[in-house]
Amino acid sequence: MVENSKIGDVLETLRGLGHQHILLVDEKGNLRGMISASDIARALHIPVNILQTAHSFKEIFEIIHDHQEVTA
């Protein structure tokens, strides 16, 4: 639950998933918002590095196409 989470929890989740963004949904599954690593970095004036992990060739292409980092 986001309302009980700390920024560190959100960043750890982003790192664990290898994503730059997390979509927020309510209990019915309706989109309520989004949290991005770059928004957190800007708000706190700290560098935030989230490495993306590709799980398929399509994801590798998308990461390279978007000029983001790939990890093995």
Side-chain angles (χ1 to χ4, degrees):
M1 215 174 209
V2 174
E3 55 194 46
N4 298 325
S5 298
K6 297 176 182 169
I7 294 295
D9 298 330
V10 174
L11 288 173
E12 199 56 40
T13 299
L14 286 167
R15 283 188 187 106
L17 295 171
H19 292 287
Q20 294 287 327
H21 303 87
I22 290 180
L23 297 177
L24 305 174
V25 295
D26 62 18
E27 59 279 346
K28 295 179 183 177
N30 297 316
L31 182 62
R32 302 304 294 170
M34 180 181 71
I35 299 174
S36 75
S38 59
D39 288 343
I40 294 170
R42 269 192 303 277
L44 298 178
H45 305 289
I46 60 169
V48 174
N49 184 18
I50 305 295
L51 298 177
Q52 287 191 312
T53 303
H55 300 286
S56 70
F57 182 77
K58 179 179 183 262
E59 289 180 7
I60 293 171
F61 175 80
E62 289 170 352
I63 291 169
I64 292 171
H65 185 264
D66 292 337
H67 306 289
Q68 299 173 8
E69 296 182 39
V70 178
T71 61

